[in-house]
Amino acid sequence: MKELVDDIAYQKLEEKYSELLLDYVLLAADEEYKGEESHKEAVIEAIICMRSRTRVGNRYDFDAFTVEEQKMKCKRIDVDAFFYEGNNGWVLPPEEVGIKPFFSKMNYWYAFFEPPYGVPYTVEDFRRMNHMLFPVSQTDLEIYSWNDDFSDYFDDGKDWWGTAMWSVYDKNMGRFVVIGASLTD
């Protein structure tokens, strides 16, 4: 896999969404798609790519992140659940929060809109950005939610705000968008 460093989406993220504290990594799928195995490769590559960034989450000072591949676990999630526009904050029902620690309990909407000190974005920004990232069709996406025990990337979020990581494969574009969330105050 190779990071799509020249993709217009990166430019727009920097110009229009510079206060957004999620980490987005766009990757070209250069081999035959193999479902969960390809998603795992994309997540590992995304964390490697983040090592070279100036800012990750809300930090400018961080050590190179490590990955313990044998600890990686994921769960496929529904496209409608992923793009759900609601501030319930959780994919799991409230009675299961804290009981099932392996997968992100934070939903994408919450991660986008509720970082530790807020963001100046609207629902329209959320929609525009997702249309920019997935321009052909959101129905042809395969999405996995990942646990937060396989990398020190998640250490900040475990300290306070929360953690999440999703890998999204766009079948029409043959690319992955990996979205990470791990913030502290």
Side-chain angles (χ1 to χ4, degrees):
M1 290 202 195
K2 181 180 175 189
E3 185 175 15
L4 299 168
V5 293
D6 295 325
D7 194 291
I8 190 74
Y10 277 138
Q11 180 184 346
K12 289 183 180 183
L13 281 168
E14 189 174 312
E15 290 173 2
K16 295 183 178 189
Y17 302 103
S18 62
E19 293 182 57
L20 185 61
L21 298 176
L22 297 178
D23 298 303
Y24 291 86
V25 180
L26 283 69
L27 300 165
D30 54 5
E31 294 179 7
E32 180 183 338
Y33 179 69
K34 299 175 188 156
E36 188 177 316
E37 181 182 328
S38 295
H39 281 262
K40 185 176 189 177
E41 290 173 23
V43 168
I44 292 168
E45 186 62 30
I47 291 175
I48 291 169
C49 291
M50 284 190 258
R51 293 176 184 167
S52 64
R53 294 188 173 179
T54 304
R55 181 187 91 182
V56 174
N58 59 353
R59 290 194 54 193
Y60 291 92
D61 60 330
F62 55 88
D63 296 325
F65 303 113
T66 60
V67 173
E68 294 181 66
E69 190 175 339
Q70 71 280 5
K71 291 184 177 182
M72 293 178 78
K73 297 176 187 172
C74 65
K75 178 181 180 183
R76 189 166 176 180
I77 59 174
D78 179 74
V79 172
D80 291 333
F82 181 72
F83 289 108
Y84 175 75
E85 291 184 3
N87 205 5
N88 65 0
W90 306 102
V91 172
L92 294 176
E95 63 273 9
E96 293 182 15
V97 172
I99 296 171
K100 295 185 177 181
F102 327 141
F103 305 106
S104 169
K105 292 175 276 308
M106 183 183 307
N107 71 10
Y108 181 40
W109 174 274
Y110 182 87
F112 185 94
F113 282 110
E114 299 293 334
Y117 300 106
V119 289
Y121 305 117
T122 66
V123 173
E124 282 308 311
D125 290 315
F126 181 75
R127 292 175 184 159
R128 271 193 295 269
M129 194 188 68
N130 288 315
H131 180 70
M132 172 189 66
L133 293 169
F134 312 106
V136 180
S137 170
Q138 289 183 353
T139 59
D140 291 328
L141 303 176
E142 189 169 297
I143 306 168
Y144 283 86
S145 175
W146 292 85
N147 65 320
D148 65 0
D149 297 331
F150 67 89
S151 176
D152 45 5
Y153 165 80
F154 300 105
D155 288 354
D156 283 351
K158 287 180 179 180
D159 183 45
W160 184 53
W161 176 71
T163 63
M165 183 161 285
W166 302 278
S167 56
V168 183
Y169 180 66
D170 187 326
K171 297 173 188 176
N172 292 309
M173 297 185 74
R175 76 172 184 186
F176 285 92
V177 176
V178 177
I179 305 167
S182 182
L183 305 171
T184 190
D185 61 346

